Amino acid sequence: PAVASNRGAAYSFVIDRDVHVSLSDAARESNSSLFMVVHAALAVLLARLSGSDDVVVGSPIAGRGEPELDDLIGMFVNTLVLRTEVDSSESFSGLLGRVREGDLGAFAHADVPFERLVEVLNPARSQARNPLFQVMLSFQNMEQSVLRLGDLTVAGVDTGAVAAKFDLQLTMVEQFDESGAPAGMAATFTYATDLFDESTVASMATRFERILRTVLDDSSALV
């Protein structure tokens, strides 16, 4: 639609423990982070689905680069724009190396406000989409905090309503066992129902898992 309605739905799936462990090992061996490995795999998926070799993904970042900000209450989250060229003749390990460099470069400039970036690049504006990216990758690996107020029980309430702030958003949440070892990842595609059917998004999830398993078996596989 000419104006995004923000109506959305969510499709959840699970990355099992064995894949989680293997992804963590692959990240360590390539001197990368788990986020970078997942980002590279998502870039491959989007390139294959879209037929484009120029993939742009947005990602939230904490925005607390200085220790003095640790105890300060407030919203510091910024949005990074991560751009990747996907060469279909390149190995996944080669792509991961370039994704690593690109992500590190973005992290080094995380203090530049997203709004400032939009202002400088000055893309054509539209109420139908985000100006710089249409897919968000949100990676959560922080321990969930618990609010305790004496005998008072505090819990969140799920309203059941899903808002799609972007065309597509992949949220990955790491899970760990009692010893702190990887125990799998909960994954959710949040999608704009104006644009996608559930069956399409389910297919994306299946293909994403297939890519992860394939590159774990052979990182030299061509993307």
Side-chain angles (χ1 to χ4, degrees):
V3 179
S5 70
N6 294 326
R7 290 190 297 267
Y11 180 85
S12 297
F13 57 106
V14 175
I15 304 299
D16 66 33
R17 176 189 174 279
D18 291 342
V19 173
H20 188 190
V21 170
S22 297
L23 286 171
S24 299
D25 292 342
R28 188 163 48 251
E29 292 168 2
S30 61
N31 197 28
S32 303
S33 67
L34 184 55
F35 170 87
M36 294 171 184
V37 178
V38 171
H39 175 205
L42 179 62
V44 172
L45 173 69
L46 295 175
R48 293 301 299 270
L49 290 175
S50 66
S52 172
D53 59 4
D54 189 0
V55 175
V56 183
V57 172
S59 187
I61 191 166
R64 293 175 179 265
E66 301 296 333
E68 291 80 8
L69 299 176
D70 287 352
D71 296 326
L72 192 61
I73 297 173
M75 183 67 170
F76 290 83
V77 175
N78 192 21
T79 302
L80 295 182
V81 182
L82 309 174
R83 188 174 187 177
T84 305
E85 290 187 9
V86 180
D87 181 353
S88 60
S89 65
E90 184 177 29
S91 68
F92 182 78
S93 58
L95 172 65
L96 177 57
R98 292 194 298 104
V99 166
R100 176 183 180 276
E101 294 303 316
D103 288 359
L104 288 175
F107 297 155
H109 296 84
D111 57 336
V112 178
F114 176 78
E115 293 77 9
R116 176 58 179 161
L117 189 61
V118 174
E119 179 184 341
V120 172
L121 294 177
N122 195 27
R125 302 297 204 277
S126 170
Q127 290 181 290
R129 63 182 185 275
N130 182 285
L132 298 182
F133 64 89
Q134 283 77 57
V135 179
M136 168 73 83
L137 172 60
S138 180
F139 200 85
Q140 299 178 14
N141 56 1
M142 300 293 290
E143 182 179 352
Q144 296 296 309
S145 58
V146 177
L147 180 60
R148 301 186 187 279
L149 299 174
D151 295 332
L152 186 65
T153 300
V154 182
V157 176
D158 185 1
T159 64
V162 179
K165 298 179 181 179
F166 313 98
D167 293 358
L168 193 67
Q169 176 172 337
L170 175 60
T171 302
M172 305 285 290
V173 181
E174 282 194 274
Q175 299 173 334
F176 302 92
D177 60 23
E178 294 179 355
S179 66
M185 289 188 285
T188 301
F189 272 122
T190 304
Y191 58 96
T193 53
D194 291 329
L195 302 173
F196 297 106
D197 295 324
E198 182 180 11
S199 59
T200 302
V201 178
S203 173
M204 290 181 185
T206 300
R207 296 180 187 200
F208 180 65
E209 290 183 80
R210 186 182 304 153
I211 289 171
L212 291 177
R213 293 181 183 277
T214 300
V215 299
L216 287 174
D217 289 339
D218 180 12
S219 64
S220 66
L222 302 184
V223 300

